[in-house]
Amino acid sequence: VVKLGEKGDNILRQKSKPISKITSSVTKLLENLKDTMYDAEGVGLAAPQIGISKRAIVVDVGEGLIGLINPEIISVEGEQIDYEGCLSIPGRRGRVPRAYKVSVKYLDSDNKEKLVEAEGLFARALQHEIDHLEGILFIDKALPEEEV
C-alpha cells in the first residue's frame, strides 16, 4: 500500500483515469485490490493506493466484497460524522462528515452497469474510496479536533 510521505505518494493526490475497457488486467487489478485490502485488514481500497492511477475500488464492510469500476456517486442523502482511518495514512484518524446514504453507479467486472445503494458504514467506505480516485484523502475533510 502506498503511504503518504513515501516516495511515489504523489499518485495519492492525482485524479485517476477512467477504465475504458474491462480486460483481464482490470480483473487482475480488482483481485489484487481485494487481496491487499484483506491482508491489511481494511474495509476498502482504491487502485491509487497500490500505485495504479485507475478508477477501481473494492469495499467489504462485512456484507460481502464489491468491486467497482469507474464508480460515480449519483445521489446523497443525510449526514453522518464518524472516525475514519486509511491504510495510506497509518496511525492517523479523524472525524469526517459524510453523506449517510449514497447511490453509486459503476461497472462490474463483466462490464455490466450496476447501481448500489448504501447507508451507514458501507456508504462511508464507498465515499472514502471514491475520494481516493479524485486525489482526496480523509485528512482533507476531517473536522478540527475539539479542545478537551
Side-chain angles (χ1 to χ4, degrees):
V1 176
V2 177
K3 295 186 177 41
L4 199 59
E6 287 181 347
K7 187 170 171 55
D9 72 348
N10 58 333
I11 196 165
L12 296 172
R13 291 301 193 175
Q14 295 170 3
K15 188 169 178 159
S16 300
K17 295 167 191 66
I19 294 171
S20 55
K21 189 175 177 193
I22 311 291
T23 61
S24 60
S25 67
V26 173
T27 308
K28 200 176 287 173
L29 169 60
L30 288 174
E31 193 68 22
N32 192 349
L33 283 169
K34 173 191 76 136
D35 293 344
T36 304
M37 177 188 74
Y38 286 143
D39 286 349
E41 298 178 7
V43 297
L45 199 67
Q49 293 181 274
I50 60 168
I52 298 169
S53 185
K54 297 279 186 193
R55 298 186 78 78
I57 66 172
V58 293
V59 173
D60 185 349
V61 295
E63 301 171 18
L65 179 74
I66 181 171
L68 300 90
I69 299 162
N70 298 332
E72 183 185 336
I73 296 172
I74 56 171
S75 72
V76 297
E77 204 177 296
E79 187 183 53
Q80 58 173 323
I81 297 174
D82 207 345
Y83 281 94
E84 289 183 22
C86 182
L87 297 173
S88 291
I89 313 172
R92 295 264 316 264
R93 287 170 47 89
R95 290 176 59 242
V96 182
R98 300 269 186 199
Y100 180 75
K101 187 175 181 181
V102 295
S103 296
V104 177
K105 181 175 75 169
Y106 68 98
L107 294 174
D108 68 8
S109 57
D110 294 323
N111 204 30
K112 299 229 180 350
E113 191 168 291
K114 300 269 183 116
L115 180 72
V116 64
E117 305 219 337
E119 50 186 60
L121 178 60
F122 188 20
R124 174 174 293 282
L126 286 168
Q127 292 168 86
H128 177 109
E129 299 311 328
I130 291 169
D131 273 356
H132 273 297
L133 304 180
E134 297 298 320
I136 299 167
L137 301 174
F138 85 90
I139 53 175
D140 302 331
K141 294 185 168 185
L143 299 171
E145 289 300 313
E146 297 99 25
E147 297 294 319
V148 180

